[in-house]
Amino acid sequence: INAFSIFKNIFSVIASLCFVPADIISTVEFNPSGELLATGDKGGRVVVFQREQETKSQPQRRGEYNVYSTFQSHEPEFDYLKSLEIEEKINKIRWLPQQNAAYFLLSTNDKTVKLWKISERDRRPEGYNLKDEDGRIRDPSTITSLRVPVLQPTDLMVEATARRVYSNAHTYHINSISVNSDLQTYISTDDLRVNLWNLEITDQSFNIVDIKPSNMEDLTEVITAAEFHPQQCNTFAYSSSRGSIRLCDMRKQALCDTHCKFFEEPEDPSTRSFFSEIISSISDIKFSHSGRFLMTRDYLTVKVWDLNMENKPLETYQVHDYLRGKLCSLYENDCIFDKFECVWNGSDSVIMTGSYNNFFRMFDRNTKRDVTLEASRENSKPRAILKPRKVCMGGKRRKDEVTVDSLDFSKKILHSTWHPQDNIIAVAASNNLYIFQDKVA
Amino acid sequence: MYSKGTKRKFSGSADTATDDKAMAASYSLQRQSLLDMSLIKLQLCHMLVEPNLCRSVLIANTVRQIQEEMTHDGSWQVVTEAFSSPSHGPSDRLVATEVLCRSPVLEQQGGGPKLYSVMGYNGCREEEVVTDKALCSVAVGDGAPALLLGTIGHCWDRAELRVAEVEAGVSEDSLSGSGDEEETRCREGTKLATGQVFGMFEIKNSPPGSDPALEELFSDVDASYYDLDTMLTGIQSTPKMGPYDLLDSLASSHGPTSNSTCRADLNELDHIMEIIVGS
């Protein structure tokens, strides 16, 4: 399925809505094979969905995602020294590539990263000598013969166990985690530091970036996101609240405070305002699957950077430029600080990001076409085809168009994920998860 | 979106000068309301669970930008002049940022407004206490007081705002012939400037008629827009031992605050320590 088909058939709804009723979804992520989809929420829970297998008898059920496992990843904690509560909200989930029968993912809240193992159990041992089937201890005097317990098939059970807890390494709030392509290490990033961990070791991490000034008065910039290069295990990038990206090579020195490459677009003086810096703050960075490009999201745009060109982005896409005239109101109601994520499709030809009013946008990098879609219950009956939406700036509003003033800023799509191979996307709108799939012709 | 702007008169090209003035006034008002909004956001940070550092930094940078611009075009002069009323001496000109965290006990101790500027970011143990007389900065290093600070209240360790010094950007030419004190103050930089800016909040909530000059200055700013009074009242009704209260006790050895205030602060500190230790 190529990128074109997205715009020929747009997206139809499959599996309709998967409700996560209790809490606002704070992160969504497909695993590297696309078989599993994980969501994390504000209550510290992780819900994992599994794609239903294709069966000849029910071909139309291909691609439906059903709940596979639910577990409480993080609990609220209290920092007694600072008298502050540590939220249990899951900020990020990142999957490890599957290496055996079990699945592994990293989940993190503001302070602690955890490695979870999700495994299936479909057998259990039966025929114990010392206890009977109910688990009651048998009277030893009644045992006259010995037998070997045998594994008998049972109903499928999916268990999640915390295999590692990586704690006490972050003074500030963790905003990103990224697994290295070496599959042995990962980085966790907070506002001022990036730490490198070995997945096996929980009591030690290496600090590889530290931008904390010796005098906190001088703090004017924080780290907003960081990610490992998908193929080069020594390379990672981190973005800042000033709209810059630094590419670092861990081989150069232990503390990667000096970057190898520095990406920043010079400011356009004609559009300068008091809000220029805030809207230039990068909320998300993602390397392309190919490793050749880097995508960044700031408040109004998505930019694609060529790793070989530092002085300006290769492509810039306007997500919702009609908000430019509303920045003061958006500053007042804090919406200007919303952190939107961005994602690549499997072939790096289409990029997607969220907006307000439960709208999300897709940009085809080749044809330069874009589309605005909406994730809402009214428009998302199963098998329905999503209708493109349009926001009108002013003047006469056409039928089906939405005016800027009628946009609902409390309905924002911050988190979304794209299946690694197929055209299946998962979009989180508050406490609802929407899964859309390209309609197969 | 903006506060009540001045009406622009359209009466032909002859009035372009008036139009420009009106536009400039409107821009000033808008800029002022943006500054006020930003400061509220920063102060409110102290009341939240744990403020978002990124957001705080961005707001602080915005405040700094506005202050720089206001200093450049001389409108900061207006602000500083507004403070100079005969009843207040130089020591009262810089007003505490503690206004939103002030406990009623300290209010009663009186002694005039304290002299502080905005304090450091989360976890920062070093503070600058600026006194008008000395016009010097005193760093509170790690030590017994800092330990107290660390354990006392979440208010203290919140990501409070510190606006960095304006470096070399303040040109003396832009300052229109005011007293030496004000020039020095501007050179001292945003630390003091911020103190004054916060001072505006203080004045705004003082009893009506206390300062006619200021009343006039703020008369056409629409406060109801962001319901300052309600917010501030709400905050003051739940007084906590704020960081500035601790500053009081620390500053007492450096600044001109009264002994009685200092003692009251220490009593407060003891009280809070008791609660924490659970004795």
Side-chain angles (χ1 to χ4, degrees):
Chain A
I1 305 170
N2 61 18
F4 237 83
S5 67
I6 297 172
F7 300 96
K8 270 204 308 201
N9 302 318
I10 309 297
F11 268 71
S12 70
V13 182
I14 54 134
S16 191
L17 318 170
C18 312
F19 292 101
V20 187
D23 266 312
I24 295 173
I25 300 172
S26 48
T27 184
V28 225
E29 186 81 357
F30 276 108
N31 77 335
S33 67
E35 183 200 350
L36 298 180
L37 173 67
T39 62
D41 66 24
K42 234 177 122 206
R45 273 196 325 164
V46 172
V47 181
V48 180
F49 299 86
Q50 186 186 42
R51 191 176 188 183
E52 206 159 296
Q53 299 300 332
E54 251 183 85
T55 58
K56 288 208 175 67
S57 55
Q58 289 184 308
Q60 73 275 13
R61 288 183 71 83
R62 178 186 87 92
E64 278 192 23
Y65 281 82
N66 304 310
V67 178
Y68 179 64
S69 171
T70 306
F71 56 93
Q72 188 73 33
S73 171
H74 286 73
E75 299 276 1
E77 286 172 58
F78 196 75
D79 181 337
Y80 291 96
L81 199 64
K82 294 187 194 175
S83 271
L84 287 171
E85 216 190 69
I86 299 171
E87 282 192 313
E88 67 275 31
K89 171 169 74 90
I90 309 293
N91 293 336
K92 282 286 174 346
I93 288 175
R94 289 287 181 265
W95 290 93
L96 269 62
Q98 199 177 0
Q99 290 177 293
N100 52 36
Y103 304 99
F104 287 87
L105 61 79
L106 287 173
S107 72
T108 186
N109 68 348
D110 284 338
K111 297 285 182 182
T112 306
V113 186
K114 293 187 185 180
L115 177 69
W116 286 90
K117 174 182 176 183
I118 302 162
S119 49
E120 293 180 6
R121 203 142 56 107
D122 60 357
R123 277 168 230 242
R124 68 189 193 110
E126 279 178 23
Y128 283 105
N129 292 294
L130 295 176
K131 54 183 178 178
D132 61 24
E133 298 310 316
D134 299 329
R136 279 191 300 248
I137 308 290
R138 287 168 79 180
D139 181 359
S141 58
T142 65
I143 300 169
T144 53
S145 62
L146 289 177
R147 53 186 175 166
V148 176
V150 177
L151 289 174
Q152 299 287 356
T154 63
D155 292 335
L156 181 66
M157 269 181 11
V158 182
E159 311 179 307
T161 43
R163 303 296 290 173
R164 301 278 187 280
V165 178
Y166 312 89
S167 47
N168 299 319
H170 287 279
T171 310
Y172 303 96
H173 291 174
I174 298 175
N175 52 52
S176 320
I177 44 175
S178 178
V179 183
N180 201 345
S181 51
D182 66 6
L183 304 184
Q184 291 179 2
T185 57
Y186 75 93
I187 48 174
S188 58
T189 307
D190 66 32
D191 296 310
L192 299 179
R193 298 188 175 102
V194 181
N195 291 334
L196 178 73
W197 301 82
N198 181 305
L199 283 162
E200 297 300 319
I201 299 168
T202 58
D203 59 0
Q204 219 184 79
S205 76
F206 293 97
N207 174 241
I208 56 175
V209 176
D210 188 342
I211 66 166
K212 181 173 193 267
S214 49
N215 191 348
M216 282 293 267
E217 294 174 50
D218 301 331
L219 181 66
T220 55
E221 188 175 11
V222 301
I223 301 174
T224 52
E227 199 182 46
F228 263 119
H229 189 279
Q231 286 94 33
Q232 295 166 21
C233 58
N234 53 282
T235 306
F236 68 95
Y238 69 91
S239 59
S240 84
S241 56
R242 287 214 135 144
S244 62
I245 307 108
R246 289 166 175 82
L247 196 71
C248 302
D249 185 336
M250 296 195 292
R251 293 170 303 189
K252 281 193 82 178
Q253 53 193 98
L255 190 62
C256 301
D257 277 356
T258 53
H259 49 265
C260 268
K261 295 201 181 182
F262 180 76
F263 299 83
E264 193 178 49
E265 186 173 23
E267 195 186 352
D268 178 4
S270 67
T271 59
R272 174 147 186 74
S273 74
F274 286 120
F275 305 109
S276 295
E277 190 188 319
I278 300 179
I279 62 170
S280 75
S281 174
I282 293 174
S283 52
D284 193 19
I285 56 167
K286 291 273 175 33
F287 279 98
S288 64
H289 292 92
S290 62
R292 286 176 52 201
F293 306 106
L294 182 63
M295 169 166 55
T296 60
R297 174 69 155 98
D298 52 60
Y299 192 63
L300 297 179
T301 73
V302 186
K303 297 184 165 117
V304 175
W305 301 78
D306 183 326
L307 292 184
N308 297 315
M309 186 164 70
E310 297 167 60
N311 63 334
K312 63 179 168 118
L314 197 60
E315 299 150 23
T316 301
Y317 300 93
Q318 301 295 333
V319 181
H320 37 216
D321 201 55
Y322 45 78
L323 296 182
R324 203 176 280 274
K326 298 215 152 239
L327 292 179
C328 196
S329 316
L330 294 166
Y331 178 72
E332 199 230 339
N333 64 17
D334 265 13
C335 280
I336 208 174
F337 301 108
D338 286 335
K339 294 194 193 306
F340 291 94
E341 292 171 9
C342 53
V343 289
W344 298 87
N345 75 338
S347 59
D348 299 336
S349 55
V350 181
I351 57 182
M352 175 172 77
T353 189
S355 178
Y356 293 104
N357 213 64
N358 280 350
F359 287 170
F360 57 100
R361 306 260 285 134
M362 282 189 209
F363 303 92
D364 185 323
R365 296 179 58 219
N366 300 322
T367 65
K368 302 303 180 203
R369 284 162 65 184
D370 64 84
V371 69
T372 304
L373 301 170
E374 183 180 356
S376 75
R377 291 195 210 181
E378 303 82 51
N379 305 324
S380 306
K381 310 277 184 306
R383 311 280 163 261
I385 293 183
L386 289 180
K387 204 168 53 170
R389 314 289 292 164
K390 194 147 161 55
V391 178
C392 78
M393 294 337 141
K396 273 218 163 313
R397 181 184 83 92
R398 290 206 194 90
K399 183 166 114 73
D400 289 345
E401 278 185 0
V402 182
T403 59
V404 179
D405 293 319
S406 65
L407 292 174
D408 189 341
F409 290 95
S410 67
K411 294 190 179 152
K412 46 195 105 176
I413 297 194
L414 303 172
H415 315 288
S416 55
T417 182
W418 201 307
H419 190 284
Q421 283 100 38
D422 301 340
N423 281 338
I424 304 174
I425 56 173
V427 164
S430 167
N431 62 339
N432 294 321
L433 179 70
Y434 294 82
I435 302 178
F436 301 119
Q437 181 181 2
D438 186 16
K439 191 167 141 146
V440 180
Chain B
M1 177 160 111
Y2 298 115
S3 52
K4 278 184 257 180
T6 49
K7 263 199 177 147
R8 280 201 291 161
K9 289 181 276 192
F10 179 67
S11 40
S13 54
D15 278 313
T16 9
T18 327
D19 284 349
D20 285 345
K21 254 197 202 160
M23 274 178 74
S26 168
Y27 174 79
S28 283
L29 272 172
Q30 289 161 15
R31 182 176 60 186
Q32 187 60 57
S33 84
L34 182 63
L35 180 63
D36 295 343
M37 202 195 303
S38 305
L39 293 170
I40 295 175
K41 284 180 184 296
L42 290 175
Q43 291 289 6
L44 282 177
C45 271
H46 304 154
M47 304 302 156
L48 300 176
V49 175
E50 193 172 8
N52 184 332
L53 186 63
C54 181
R55 179 177 172 273
S56 301
V57 168
L58 289 173
I59 298 173
N61 290 349
T62 308
V63 169
R64 194 179 305 120
Q65 271 181 64
I66 297 174
Q67 286 178 333
E68 275 177 30
E69 196 182 280
M70 287 176 85
T71 315
H72 278 294
D73 66 19
S75 45
W76 206 245
Q77 275 312 107
V78 181
V79 172
T80 62
E81 271 162 25
F83 280 73
S84 54
S85 74
S87 59
H88 292 154
S91 60
D92 299 326
R93 216 166 302 188
L94 300 174
V95 186
T97 56
E98 79 198 60
V99 55
L100 294 175
C101 291
R102 186 178 289 175
S103 79
V105 177
L106 292 175
E107 294 259 24
Q108 285 154 28
Q109 297 303 325
K114 315 294 180 295
L115 325 171
Y116 309 109
S117 57
V118 196
M119 294 305 112
Y121 283 104
N122 184 34
C124 177
R125 300 259 185 247
E126 290 185 328
E127 291 306 328
E128 291 215 7
V129 176
V130 184
T131 65
D132 186 46
K133 279 214 175 118
L135 281 186
C136 63
S137 51
V138 177
V140 177
D142 275 288
L147 277 172
L148 277 177
L149 302 179
T151 52
I152 279 283
H154 46 272
C155 236
W156 179 250
D157 263 355
R158 298 266 165 78
E160 291 146 26
L161 225 293
R162 163 152 262 161
V163 184
E165 230 172 302
V166 175
E167 296 174 286
V170 182
S171 83
E172 300 205 14
D173 300 339
S174 71
L175 302 173
S176 51
S178 67
D180 278 343
E181 283 221 23
E182 271 144 37
E183 280 191 33
T184 324
R185 202 176 291 119
C186 280
R187 238 181 276 122
E188 265 298 302
T190 327
K191 278 198 293 291
L192 305 177
T194 320
Q196 302 208 19
V197 166
F198 287 119
M200 285 198 287
F201 273 68
E202 161 86 335
I203 300 297
K204 212 171 160 93
N205 286 285
S206 64
S210 62
D211 201 320
L214 285 165
E215 290 296 306
E216 209 182 313
L217 188 70
F218 295 112
S219 62
D220 52 357
V221 173
D222 186 4
S224 67
Y225 172 58
Y226 30 82
D227 232 351
L228 249 184
D229 289 289
T230 317
M231 268 195 283
L232 290 170
T233 316
I235 290 163
Q236 281 180 320
S237 67
T238 54
K240 294 179 192 172
M241 181 64 172
Y244 312 106
D245 307 304
L246 293 166
L247 278 178
D248 284 344
S249 48
L250 292 165
S252 62
S253 51
H254 305 289
T257 51
S258 66
N259 282 338
S260 61
T261 317
C262 180
R263 245 179 275 129
D265 300 332
L266 288 174
N267 288 338
E268 280 276 352
L269 269 177
D270 285 336
H271 178 61
I272 304 259
M273 278 307 294
E274 272 175 37
I275 296 170
I276 288 172
V277 169
S279 56

